[in-house]
Amino acid sequence: MDATLDPTTLVVFGATGDLMARKIVPSLAYLAARGRLPERFRVIGFSRRSWTDEDFRAHVRAIIDAYPGAAPRGAALDAFVERFSYQQGTFDDPRAYDALAADIQAVASTWEGRCNRLFYLAVPPEHYRTIFERLAGSGLVTGCDADGACTRVLVEKPFGKDGASAQELDEVLGSLFAEEQIYRIDHYLAKEMLQGILSFRFSNTLMEPSWNAESIQRIDVTLLESIGVEKRGAFYDGVGALRDVGQNHLLQMLALVGMERPDDLSARSIRDARARFLRTLTPPPADEMAARSFRAQHRGYRAIQGVAPDSDTETYFALRFHLSGPRWGGVPVTLESGKRMGEPLKQIAVTFRAPDACLCDASRPGPYENRVIFQLEPHESIRIEFWAKKPGFEHELEKREFTFFLYEKQEKVQYVEEYATLLLDAIEGDQTLFVSTDEVREMWRFIDPWLQVWRTGAVPLELYEPDTSEVRDRAFARLDEADARPKRIGVVGLGKMGAALARNLLDHGWQVVGHNRTFAVAERMAGEGLLPARTLSDLVAFLPPPRVVWLMLPAGEPTEQALFGEGGLAELLQEGDTVIDGGNSHFADAERRAKRLAERGVRFLDVGTSGGPGGARFGACLMIGGERSDFERLEHLWRDVAARDAYRFFEGHGGGHFVKMVHNGIEYGMMQAIAEGFAVLDAAPLGIDLPKAAEVYNRRSVIESRLIGWLREAFELFGPDLAGVSSTVAHTGEGQWTVETARALGVPVPVIEESLEFRKRSAERPSYAGKVLSALRNRFGGHEAAGG
């Protein structure tokens, strides 16, 4: 026994039940056999059966005798069993709790008055409130006393049946216990392999620099069990696979591979990092959830005792969705779990993108992907898959593996090592492997919408043969079909920005119908996969409803005519169609246009698009205004068009264009400061090398930016003196609009205003600063730079 651990009394409510026999007693025996229990340690079983202490000890002894794993034997077993006592009572009997309090206090007095109290609720959640209220009434619910003795409560999953019930449970817990006293058990967090993921990621530099959306193609979390429901029919039938393991185990597994580096190894830091990742999970729109989920029940399930004869509870499910956030934006995730699936398979597979330029076997098309697999079953291992040259004369590649086997599992009985770890951590007061309130809230926030969609019948319950994995083929066929659904969009305006946007969409698998006032422009893009439309009427006819049409036209009259002119989109589109204005329109026009289109049932979004033609082609920054439901319905579009995690929604029509307008005003000021600074460098008598100055400014200096990078490009193209570049600087409407809007709001903007005035004066006052501005506009926007 460990004399360094605090004296502890563990009270188990529901001590005569299955959880006590299968997990708690064997895990305590496991700890005792290894000398890891406190030297002063006892267990009080609380249940309604009319047992004595000796009856309970005989029950514990019988569990140990039948238990095949490591446990105290002989005299050591006698001493172990003597640590157990029994308190008979119903969960709502206050007298039983008074007797329990007296028992705990009596023993504590023999232990120098100091004794930690652990209350383990091995009972269904519907009994929690009663137990907590009775504990409070008996005076047993306290925090940490002045002498350091603490009260902690251990709660088994499920943590509610949905977000509302979880919140209700948290309110009960929170009214009596501080967060540091609550230990929510998800035994998967105690598995050695999952604990090892943090070390693998954050104690090495081997993978972490590439652990992001730039390098990783997808993440698959799989939990297939050979076992079934067995004797848990009545419980399981009210829960189902998604609640039973999806809302907790699978999301916790995903959080471990997706979370950011915690500040340190403290429980608070690690749990906060998991919660921050879970907070980034966003459920897709309802129709996407229906298309990207699958649910099934194995044959024979309804014959299990306690299961309703017409049960529609799933024993298998698969979900697919996309991650968001700076690290993971756009990466698809598949969560999958099932009962009676034949051979067990429990793992997290992280698949890396195939290299764009690969020195690969020309006779084999690939893809040449790498994978890192964290496997729990059938073997606890970390496996890295890679490609290597096959021995021989030919340059042929073959898949090879680095495999690290964690260890031969010491405890053969399922869950015992994990529960032993959790019990010891609870005794020591370490919450790292327990689920926090924030995590529970975020997991239910993500899972609830899927359950709501299922309740509508949008995802039919299929059947599968038990003890096989045949259902997986059907599940993945459904998910893959959703991924492969044709995505069609119209693009109106194929200038520099519009053509780049269309090519970006084509690269992402969209079928693009393009219209340009000069039809030859659209025709030239036919060879790239674009379907050219001679008229707006043709464009609308080529698109199946509900249609999405993206305008990339100059602000003002061109956009107005395309929408409301004779033969414009307002006449041609139907109810349920959507118009996106991605040009630099005035924000006030958005609300007016949205109202006019709404009269015909047509939806409208205003999307400020930044990044110039290069951004439109390879990943733009999008500022999106309108109604949230429309934004969410088209999130797959934003994800494809934008750079990774480079889109945000602003509630209300005009919100996107307003943010973009101010963005352009800020851009004016930033460009002006750079231009003036380099004009000073150019005028200095020191012979400053301007390209070198631009280069060093862009090496982690405070003014490092894409603008400085573009100036470096301009120096390479035109030379340091910017010969041939005009010092007359064009200006567009958004700078002027920013200044006018600021005046109307009573907000002074002297920097932006002066930068606008500089451009207006530039034709009459040539300067090196003007050349810098024109060169910058050329590099990021493709604007004409030539001049005197």
Side-chain angles (χ1 to χ4, degrees):
M1 295 299 165
D2 191 338
T4 65
L5 294 176
D6 291 338
T8 302
T9 293
L10 170 64
V11 179
V12 181
F13 293 93
T16 59
D18 182 63
L19 185 62
M20 184 75 166
R22 289 193 305 115
K23 299 176 182 178
I24 299 175
V25 170
S27 299
L28 291 172
Y30 180 92
L31 292 171
R34 287 159 177 75
R36 298 306 301 269
L37 288 177
E39 187 175 275
R40 290 177 287 187
F41 178 78
R42 63 193 294 256
V43 181
I44 303 175
F46 189 109
S47 192
R48 60 184 175 82
R49 292 188 185 181
S50 183
W51 281 5
T52 64
D53 288 350
E54 290 309 313
D55 292 331
F56 187 51
R57 289 167 183 157
H59 176 62
V60 171
R61 185 181 291 273
I63 294 171
I64 300 299
D65 288 342
Y67 169 60
R73 305 294 177 187
L77 176 58
D78 294 338
F80 177 75
V81 169
E82 284 300 312
R83 295 174 179 270
F84 289 75
S85 62
Y86 188 76
Q87 173 64 55
Q88 190 272 332
T90 61
F91 296 143
D92 61 351
D93 181 4
R95 292 172 299 177
Y97 290 84
D98 291 340
L100 177 65
D103 185 3
I104 292 173
Q105 294 301 326
V107 172
S109 65
T110 67
W111 288 348
E112 303 168 359
R114 184 168 178 268
C115 174
N116 288 339
R117 299 177 291 275
L118 273 61
F119 297 109
Y120 195 132
L121 275 65
V123 300
E126 57 263 29
H127 297 299
Y128 287 179
R129 179 183 291 274
T130 299
I131 292 173
F132 291 146
E133 289 175 349
R134 294 294 182 267
L135 282 173
S138 67
L140 286 170
V141 176
T142 61
C144 289
D145 300 331
D147 62 3
C150 293
T151 298
R152 301 175 185 126
V153 59
L154 286 79
V155 181
E156 283 276 351
K157 76 171 186 69
F159 312 120
K161 294 185 69 172
D162 53 27
S165 59
Q167 182 177 351
E168 182 180 348
L169 173 59
D170 273 336
E171 288 173 356
V172 174
L173 284 166
S175 66
L176 298 171
F177 302 97
E179 178 67 17
E180 58 268 21
Q181 294 177 268
I182 304 169
Y183 289 67
R184 298 176 186 82
I185 295 174
D186 182 342
H187 69 271
Y188 262 66
L189 285 175
K191 289 183 178 292
E192 285 285 356
M193 178 51 65
L194 296 190
Q195 294 180 61
I197 290 175
L198 296 187
S199 298
F200 177 86
R201 288 187 57 194
F202 301 120
S203 300
N204 302 288
T205 58
L206 183 65
M207 295 289 178
E208 193 62 19
S210 301
W211 209 254
N212 54 52
E214 296 288 348
S215 301
I216 289 173
Q217 179 176 314
R218 68 179 188 274
I219 300 172
D220 301 286
V221 187
T222 305
L223 201 167
L224 305 180
E225 300 180 278
S226 58
I227 62 173
V229 175
E230 279 80 43
K231 299 178 181 179
R232 300 168 64 227
F235 162 77
Y236 192 91
D237 202 42
V239 176
L242 182 56
R243 285 189 180 98
D244 189 42
V245 299
Q247 181 270 338
N248 38 73
H249 299 338
L250 293 183
L251 289 183
Q252 285 289 334
M253 292 164 73
L254 179 62
L256 289 171
V257 297
M259 62 190 272
E260 297 293 332
R261 183 187 184 279
D263 295 335
D264 50 47
L265 288 174
S266 68
R268 179 183 294 275
S269 291
I270 292 173
R271 294 184 351 148
D272 284 351
R274 293 197 308 248
R276 283 195 299 273
F277 171 80
L278 292 167
R279 202 169 293 127
T280 69
L281 300 182
T282 303
D287 61 335
E288 288 291 308
M289 283 188 279
R292 297 177 184 276
S293 61
F294 181 95
R295 55 195 299 264
Q297 181 187 98
H298 71 72
R299 296 185 189 277
Y301 170 77
R302 294 176 183 177
I304 296 172
Q305 184 178 357
V307 173
D310 59 348
S311 171
D312 67 347
T313 297
E314 80 284 351
T315 58
Y316 171 89
F317 75 89
L319 310 179
R320 185 169 292 165
F321 55 92
H322 290 81
L323 298 178
S324 59
R327 179 188 285 262
W328 294 112
V331 173
V333 172
T334 302
L335 304 183
E336 178 196 17
S337 181
K339 297 282 191 184
R340 299 286 297 274
M341 297 295 294
E343 291 298 317
L345 179 64
K346 302 176 182 179
Q347 66 180 31
I348 309 166
V350 179
T351 301
F352 285 74
R353 299 183 186 278
D356 293 331
C358 179
L359 293 176
C360 297
D361 182 359
S363 65
R364 186 185 187 281
Y368 292 93
E369 301 167 337
N370 306 122
R371 290 203 304 168
V372 176
I373 300 172
F374 303 97
Q375 191 171 92
L376 289 76
E377 285 192 51
H379 306 289
E380 287 201 271
S381 63
I382 299 175
R383 192 164 75 245
I384 301 175
E385 296 179 354
F386 64 100
W387 295 87
K389 182 184 178 299
K390 206 174 190 178
F393 294 107
E394 307 300 328
H395 186 82
E396 297 180 14
L397 297 180
E398 62 180 350
K399 184 181 291 186
R400 305 297 295 270
E401 294 180 355
F402 287 128
T403 302
F404 165 69
F405 290 100
L406 184 63
Y407 71 115
E408 182 66 27
K409 195 170 179 67
Q410 299 177 28
E411 188 52 64
K412 303 299 182 183
V413 180
Q414 193 176 28
Y415 305 129
V416 169
E417 285 189 17
E418 292 86 354
Y419 269 81
T421 298
L422 293 169
L423 285 168
L424 182 59
D425 283 354
I427 290 168
E428 294 179 335
D430 184 351
Q431 290 183 301
T432 304
L433 303 182
F434 296 85
V435 184
S436 69
T437 297
D438 288 343
E439 291 173 274
V440 172
R441 181 188 308 113
E442 297 303 330
M443 290 188 291
W444 277 122
R445 179 191 56 79
F446 179 71
I447 291 297
D448 269 347
W450 297 88
L451 293 168
Q452 291 165 9
V453 167
W454 286 5
R455 282 194 289 270
T456 68
V459 183
L461 182 73
E462 300 200 18
L463 296 176
Y464 66 96
E465 294 298 324
D467 307 320
T468 72
S469 60
E470 56 87 14
V471 71
R472 300 186 72 200
D473 292 336
R474 284 184 278 146
F476 279 83
R478 176 182 174 89
L479 302 184
D480 292 343
E481 180 183 359
D483 287 341
R485 284 185 304 178
K487 301 178 290 186
R488 295 175 182 169
I489 191 169
V491 176
V492 177
L494 298 173
K496 291 192 294 288
M497 291 291 288
L501 173 74
R503 292 185 175 103
N504 187 349
L505 288 163
L506 288 167
D507 284 350
H508 283 90
W510 287 77
Q511 296 176 356
V512 181
V513 182
H515 169 73
N516 196 73
R517 185 174 59 179
T518 304
F519 181 58
V521 173
E523 279 189 307
R524 284 195 294 269
M525 293 186 66
E528 301 177 55
L530 179 137
L531 177 62
R534 188 174 296 274
T535 65
L536 288 175
S537 178
D538 289 342
L539 178 136
V540 171
F542 292 157
L543 293 170
R547 302 170 184 86
V548 178
V549 180
W550 190 311
L551 304 185
M552 271 307 216
L553 296 169
E557 190 61 22
T559 299
E560 198 73 13
Q561 282 298 312
L563 286 172
F564 305 113
E566 184 177 351
L569 291 171
E571 295 178 5
L572 299 168
L573 295 176
Q574 300 173 349
E575 184 175 353
D577 294 345
T578 302
V579 171
I580 299 167
D581 181 4
N584 284 334
S585 294
H586 194 281
F587 69 90
D589 290 333
E591 186 172 5
R592 175 179 55 81
R593 290 167 179 166
K595 287 180 179 178
R596 288 189 65 179
L597 290 171
E599 293 172 1
R600 298 182 59 86
V602 176
R603 315 300 298 167
F604 181 84
L605 290 150
D606 52 287
V607 178
T609 306
S610 181
R617 178 67 181 88
F618 298 109
C621 171
L622 304 179
M623 296 149 249
I624 305 161
E627 294 185 9
R628 180 170 292 277
S629 59
D630 295 325
F631 162 78
E632 292 176 348
R633 176 171 50 84
L634 293 173
E635 188 152 13
H636 61 297
L637 172 60
W638 321 130
R639 194 163 52 235
D640 284 349
V641 171
R644 178 164 54 92
D645 195 44
Y647 63 90
R648 289 294 183 273
F649 174 70
F650 301 92
E651 189 75 51
H653 294 109
H657 279 156
F658 192 96
V659 174
K660 177 58 163 56
M661 177 191 72
V662 175
H663 159 281
N664 281 23
I666 293 170
E667 176 188 299
Y668 272 44
M670 292 175 67
M671 290 173 63
Q672 186 69 25
I674 291 170
E676 291 175 3
F678 273 84
V680 173
L681 291 173
D682 180 62
L686 300 173
I688 300 295
D689 186 318
L690 299 184
K692 282 186 178 179
E695 186 174 344
V696 76
Y697 284 167
N698 236 26
R699 293 291 185 271
R700 301 186 68 82
S701 81
V702 173
I703 63 169
E704 177 184 15
S705 66
R706 297 183 74 191
L707 287 168
I708 296 289
W710 279 318
L711 181 57
R712 180 71 179 86
E713 289 180 13
F715 285 144
E716 290 179 357
L717 183 64
F718 301 113
D721 59 352
L722 300 178
V725 175
S726 174
S727 62
T728 299
V729 191
H731 55 92
T732 56
E734 293 208 331
Q736 184 72 44
W737 297 340
T738 304
V739 172
E740 291 172 353
T741 302
R743 287 172 181 165
L745 295 171
V747 177
V749 286
V751 172
I752 297 174
E753 188 167 5
E754 176 52 32
S755 66
L756 175 63
E757 293 304 317
F758 177 92
R759 295 189 183 201
K760 291 178 179 180
R761 296 191 303 264
S762 63
E764 290 78 35
R765 301 182 188 180
S767 66
Y768 186 79
K771 286 177 173 283
V772 171
L773 289 172
S774 293
L776 284 172
R777 295 184 78 248
N778 171 264
R779 298 320 301 150
F780 72 72
H783 302 291
E784 181 63 45

